[in-house]
Amino acid sequence: MPNQIEMSSDSLKKRKPKVNRNEDGKRGRHDEQEGRYYSEEAEVDVRDPREDYQLYKDTCLDLQRLMSEIQDLKNKGGKDSAMEIEEKKVQSCVHFMTLKKLNRLAHIRLKKARDQTHEAKQKVDAYHLQLQNLLYEVMHLQKEITKCLEFKSKHEEIELVSVEEFYSEAPATISKPEITSTDSHQQTLSRLDWELEQRKRLAEKYKECLASKEKILKEIEIKKEYLNSLQPQLNSIMQASLPVQEYLSMPFDCMHKQYETARHLPPPLYVLFVQASAYSQACDRKLVVTIEGNVEEARALFKPPEDSQDDESDSDAEEEQTTKRRRPTLGVQLDDKRKEMLKRHPLCVTLTLKCKEGSTLNLTFYFLMNLNILTVKVKIQPALELSTAISAGDLLNPDLILSCLYQGDDGKTTPNPANRYQFDKIGILSLNDYISELGHPYIWVQTMGGLHFPTDQPQPAVIADNALSASHMEKTINLLRARLLSRLSLHRQFASLEHGSIPVSLECQTLFPAKVISRLTKWNVITYEDYLALPYTKDVIECGLAKETDQYFYLLIERGTAKLNGVVVLNPGYCAVPPVFSLCLNWKGERSSSNDDNIRVMESEVNVYFKELCGPPPGFQLLTNQIQRLCMLLDVYLETERHDNSVEGPHEFPPEKICLRLLRGPSRTKPFKYNYPQGFFSHR
């Protein structure tokens, strides 16, 4: 309460005192001089802000307490409480006046703090301006000092002989050692005189060499005329020898033209052409190597740019025309940059692989100049017209036939790490969007061209290596020919499988009994997503044996009421990589490898022991032999199943196979191994 009384007295002091006025209604000068007025600005300097803050908190608490007491009194509603409420209202008003006074004092303190800050900033700005002026003067003086230090005389640009060589070679009349040894200025002048003397001698020698050069050039011109006169005669001789070249299968003329064109190939295509031609001549006569494309455009790439004097004279006219044209939009500019980035070399190299059956595989190799990679396009020409098989639609697809020729090489991404940074600049997300137009950049294609990208970092320059290309040429050609033959063989097999016929060669008939009752009734292609959705393929997926690059097929084998469903994973590297089968039998319920050990054994018979079914090399009959074995295994499975004696009538699957033992072991596995020539089945 003392603080409150003090604040109330302070508020009363704020009132202005009475002012005496004279008759004219004006304030008297004497009263104006002697009168004292209350000033809050002066009070701010005397009062402590922390005490004011504590007073503010106490006042707020008292005001809160008074309000709650007034509320309680009103709620009671007594007659005597009216006087107490009025007293408490008066006390509340006093507290409100105290809060107003504290608010004014806070604003005055804030204004004074801002004024002081402004004055300090002005002082700092004045000091900063003085500092900038001094720094500018220092910088100017440093520039002048640097100019003086960097001054060079003309003679410093001349490369003079060393001092030791000068004194050893120059005559005494020029070197003057008694003077120049102690005076550096005279030494420099003498060295310059000696340099002038030497250059005069060299100028005389230069004139003599020019005269000798003119004489030699005249002799060269005479010999050139003689050689040019021989060219028509040589051409007539080569033309007359063409029949002999064709008869001896030695086309020197065609080879000469090819070698002339090969001079304009880029280094990777040149390495590919040289190594493929050498391999064709030495090891494989059925490999034909040719160069195609526009030779004139290739020559223009190596021509140096001509002088642009005429262009400079017409620059004004061109500027007027360009200003009238509309500037291309950002999208058009990006398209132009993408086309320039993906530009191919005008020349390409074509390899034609001929097989024994007469089928050919045409490989056209291109070089992307800005990306520094090779791409390949495929064209297949079968010897005979193939029958249309729906499930064989992707076997001879040019975009898929060479996929994973080497493991993991699907040709959908660029092998050059530097291309990713180039694509980011022009907005290309992936090269896969342009593969249909440019071709596939397989890693083995880069190897055939001698290109190697060893690290996952951008390389400054990639050089085509002949040794790298030669080390991979034979293996790659053999893989390409084997891939074509395997796909053609699969195409013919699929045509038979779609009609329910399993082709088994004479060499492989001993692998199966003479009578197999189960028959293939359905064979079609399925997608990778359909394969993942099947419940009985979970084990194959978890082992990583099913990939997006593989092809997937569905088969159905029936015998009576039993239906054997199966899906096949066909790797692009068939038959080096065997197909993987997953089975599910629908007969008296659904049976798979997860709930029936015999189904698991049937899967192992075709997946694990596939080497027994490869047949004669190169083993293209592996798939059909595996399917035929599945038919045989289904017969054994059904015929060895127990018959319900409570059901009258003949057995649905009468036993026709000879089995030494029907069941074995705790898992009760059945005899699935066929023994030739005895003709009985046994356990492994």
Side-chain angles (χ1 to χ4, degrees):
M1 289 304 292
N3 291 332
Q4 295 179 6
I5 296 171
E6 182 184 354
M7 289 304 300
S8 61
S9 63
D10 291 340
S11 62
L12 293 176
K13 290 179 182 180
K14 187 178 179 183
R15 297 178 183 177
K16 296 181 180 180
K18 292 182 180 180
V19 179
N20 296 326
R21 297 181 181 273
N22 53 14
E23 295 177 354
D24 297 334
K26 297 182 180 179
R27 182 182 299 177
R29 295 181 180 176
H30 180 73
D31 296 337
E32 187 176 13
Q33 292 177 356
E34 294 182 356
R36 294 182 180 179
Y37 297 95
Y38 172 70
S39 176
E40 289 185 345
E41 293 182 359
E43 187 180 356
V44 167
D45 298 334
V46 180
R47 296 176 66 93
D48 187 3
R50 288 175 289 182
E51 293 179 359
D52 288 349
Y53 176 67
Q54 185 63 36
L55 178 59
Y56 167 76
K57 291 197 296 182
D58 296 340
T59 305
C60 291
L61 292 173
D62 293 340
L63 186 60
Q64 185 178 5
R65 178 181 56 77
L66 289 172
M67 290 298 174
S68 61
E69 291 177 358
I70 291 171
Q71 181 67 28
D72 295 339
L73 292 173
K74 286 184 178 182
N75 291 335
K76 292 179 181 180
K79 295 180 180 180
D80 299 334
S81 61
M83 292 298 294
E84 294 182 10
I85 291 174
E86 288 298 328
E87 290 179 3
K88 294 186 182 296
K89 283 184 178 180
V90 172
Q91 294 177 8
S92 300
C93 291
V94 173
H95 287 311
F96 276 119
M97 293 176 66
T98 304
L99 290 177
K100 287 183 178 181
K101 179 177 180 62
L102 292 175
N103 184 34
R104 290 193 301 272
L105 293 176
H107 281 288
I108 292 171
R109 286 193 183 97
L110 177 62
K111 182 177 180 302
K112 285 189 175 184
R114 287 177 176 173
D115 294 340
Q116 292 174 359
T117 303
H118 182 67
E119 291 177 1
K121 285 177 65 178
Q122 286 182 341
K123 291 181 181 179
V124 172
D125 291 340
Y127 291 146
H128 183 71
L129 181 60
Q130 293 177 3
L131 177 62
Q132 292 297 326
N133 292 335
L134 292 174
L135 290 176
Y136 180 77
E137 292 180 5
V138 170
M139 183 178 64
H140 177 71
L141 293 175
Q142 287 178 346
K143 287 183 179 179
E144 294 298 327
I145 294 171
T146 304
K147 287 181 181 179
C148 296
L149 294 176
E150 292 180 351
F151 174 77
K152 291 185 179 181
S153 178
K154 288 291 184 181
H155 78 278
E156 294 180 1
E157 299 177 0
I158 302 174
E159 295 183 2
L160 301 176
V161 297
S162 62
V163 178
E164 294 79 7
E165 188 178 353
F166 166 69
Y167 283 116
S168 62
E169 295 182 358
T173 56
I174 295 178
S175 61
K176 301 176 183 178
E178 65 278 358
I179 300 174
T180 58
S181 58
T182 57
D183 191 349
S184 60
H185 177 65
Q186 290 296 330
Q187 186 185 67
T188 303
L189 293 177
S190 299
R191 291 174 68 188
L192 290 172
D193 292 338
W194 174 239
E195 184 71 21
L196 178 62
E197 184 68 23
Q198 284 183 319
R199 293 195 179 193
K200 286 180 180 179
R201 295 177 185 175
L202 292 174
E204 293 177 358
K205 289 184 179 180
Y206 174 70
K207 291 179 181 179
E208 294 176 0
C209 292
L210 281 179
S212 175
K213 177 183 175 183
E214 293 294 332
K215 182 179 178 182
I216 295 172
L217 286 175
K218 289 180 181 179
E219 295 178 358
I220 291 174
E221 289 296 328
I222 295 173
K223 293 180 179 179
K224 277 186 177 180
E225 292 177 359
Y226 173 72
L227 293 175
N228 291 333
S229 63
L230 289 177
Q231 186 65 33
Q233 299 180 17
L234 293 175
N235 290 336
S236 60
I237 294 172
M238 290 294 295
Q239 192 67 26
S241 64
L242 288 178
V244 180
Q245 295 179 24
E246 294 178 0
Y247 180 76
L248 297 176
S249 298
M250 301 174 68
F252 294 110
D253 189 53
C254 295
M255 292 171 60
H256 178 71
K257 291 180 180 179
Q258 289 283 313
Y259 290 144
E260 286 294 324
T261 307
R263 294 168 52 192
H264 306 289
L265 288 172
L269 287 181
Y270 182 79
V271 170
L272 173 63
F273 172 76
V274 171
Q275 296 299 329
S277 300
Y279 178 76
S280 174
Q281 295 175 12
C283 305
D284 193 348
R285 292 290 181 179
K286 293 183 179 180
L287 174 63
V288 180
V289 186
T290 57
I291 301 175
E292 299 177 356
N294 193 328
V295 181
E296 297 299 327
E297 291 184 9
R299 289 175 180 170
L301 292 175
F302 294 96
K303 287 184 179 179
E306 298 179 356
D307 296 334
S308 58
Q309 295 179 354
D310 297 336
D311 297 338
E312 293 177 358
S313 62
D314 299 336
S315 60
D316 296 336
E318 292 179 357
E319 288 179 1
E320 292 178 0
Q321 293 179 359
T322 53
T323 53
K324 293 180 181 179
R325 298 174 185 171
R326 295 181 61 185
R327 293 185 179 180
T329 61
L330 182 61
V332 175
Q333 292 177 359
L334 283 177
D335 290 340
D336 294 340
K337 290 181 180 179
R338 293 189 187 108
K339 291 179 182 178
E340 183 64 24
M341 181 65 68
L342 302 175
K343 188 177 181 181
R344 298 188 302 202
H345 194 273
L347 297 179
C348 59
V349 176
T350 301
L351 302 185
T352 303
L353 280 76
K354 297 180 180 179
C355 301
K356 296 179 180 179
E357 303 174 353
S359 302
T360 58
L361 178 66
N362 295 325
L363 304 175
T364 305
F365 295 86
Y366 301 95
F367 180 66
L368 305 185
M369 297 182 289
N370 294 317
L371 300 182
N372 197 24
I373 58 174
L374 290 173
T375 60
V376 64
K377 280 191 172 183
V378 186
K379 186 178 180 182
I380 303 168
Q381 294 179 348
L384 302 175
E385 185 177 355
L386 298 174
S387 58
T388 57
I390 299 175
S391 59
D394 291 336
L395 286 179
L396 299 180
N397 187 344
D399 293 331
L400 299 176
I401 188 170
L402 299 183
S403 177
C404 297
L405 187 67
Y406 288 87
Q407 186 176 3
D409 188 8
D410 57 1
K412 294 182 179 180
T413 57
T414 173
N416 189 353
N419 296 159
R420 290 182 296 181
Y421 302 92
Q422 295 173 300
F423 291 163
D424 292 340
K425 292 181 179 179
I426 57 176
I428 295 179
L429 299 178
S430 174
L431 187 64
N432 192 26
D433 300 333
Y434 304 90
I435 280 180
S436 59
E437 178 184 356
L438 302 176
H440 291 267
Y442 296 108
I443 297 177
W444 59 266
V445 174
Q446 319 306 317
T447 306
M448 291 182 71
L451 297 177
H452 181 50
F453 306 98
T455 62
D456 196 17
Q457 296 293 332
Q459 302 296 317
V462 180
I463 303 173
D465 188 3
N466 277 284
L468 178 64
S469 175
S471 62
H472 290 76
M473 182 63 65
E474 182 176 3
K475 181 180 179 181
T476 303
I477 295 298
N478 292 335
L479 287 175
L480 289 170
R481 184 174 280 112
R483 176 63 63 88
L484 176 61
L485 293 175
S486 67
R487 291 301 173 90
L488 292 173
S489 176
L490 283 174
H491 196 286
R492 291 189 290 269
Q493 294 175 31
F494 286 2
S496 300
L497 293 175
E498 287 186 0
H499 292 86
S501 174
I502 304 176
V504 179
S505 61
L506 294 175
E507 296 84 352
C508 300
Q509 287 183 357
T510 58
L511 300 173
F512 314 103
K515 185 178 181 181
V516 178
I517 302 175
S518 298
R519 289 290 177 262
L520 176 70
T521 59
K522 191 173 183 180
W523 172 269
N524 58 2
V525 64
I526 60 174
T527 62
Y528 178 62
E529 289 74 15
D530 295 337
Y531 183 86
L532 296 178
L534 295 174
Y536 52 90
T537 61
K538 182 179 179 181
D539 295 338
V540 178
I541 297 170
E542 291 178 352
C543 294
L545 300 177
K547 303 175 183 177
E548 289 190 41
T549 55
D550 299 335
Q551 297 184 20
Y552 300 89
F553 301 92
Y554 169 79
L555 60 87
L556 177 62
I557 300 175
E558 295 183 354
R559 179 179 176 183
T561 59
K563 295 182 179 181
L564 179 64
N565 299 286
V567 286
V568 185
V569 181
L570 188 64
N571 191 280
Y574 175 87
C575 57
V577 180
V580 179
F581 287 75
S582 299
L583 305 176
C584 178
L585 178 61
N586 289 328
W587 181 63
K588 295 181 180 180
E590 188 173 289
R591 309 182 185 187
S592 63
S593 59
S594 61
N595 57 14
D596 192 333
D597 290 335
N598 286 296
I599 299 296
R600 178 179 52 80
V601 175
M602 290 172 64
E603 290 180 352
S604 66
E605 284 292 327
V606 292
N607 294 333
V608 179
Y609 305 104
F610 66 91
K611 293 183 179 180
E612 301 174 359
L613 305 172
C614 290
F620 294 149
Q621 298 293 323
L622 174 60
L623 177 63
T624 54
N625 290 342
Q626 286 177 308
I627 297 174
Q628 182 69 8
R629 174 172 279 189
L630 280 179
C631 295
M632 178 190 73
L633 296 176
L634 181 59
D635 286 347
V636 175
Y637 184 95
L638 297 175
E639 292 176 10
T640 55
E641 194 71 12
R642 290 182 179 180
H643 178 67
D644 189 0
N645 296 323
S646 62
V647 180
E648 298 181 357
H651 293 189
E652 182 181 3
F653 306 111
E656 298 184 2
K657 306 292 188 295
I658 302 174
C659 302
L660 296 181
R661 186 178 179 183
L662 294 181
L663 302 172
R664 187 182 71 176
S667 59
R668 314 302 288 168
T669 56
K670 302 183 179 185
F672 290 118
K673 181 182 178 182
Y674 177 69
N675 296 272
Y676 178 83
Q678 293 84 2
F680 62 86
F681 288 84
S682 63
H683 294 83
R684 286 191 181 273

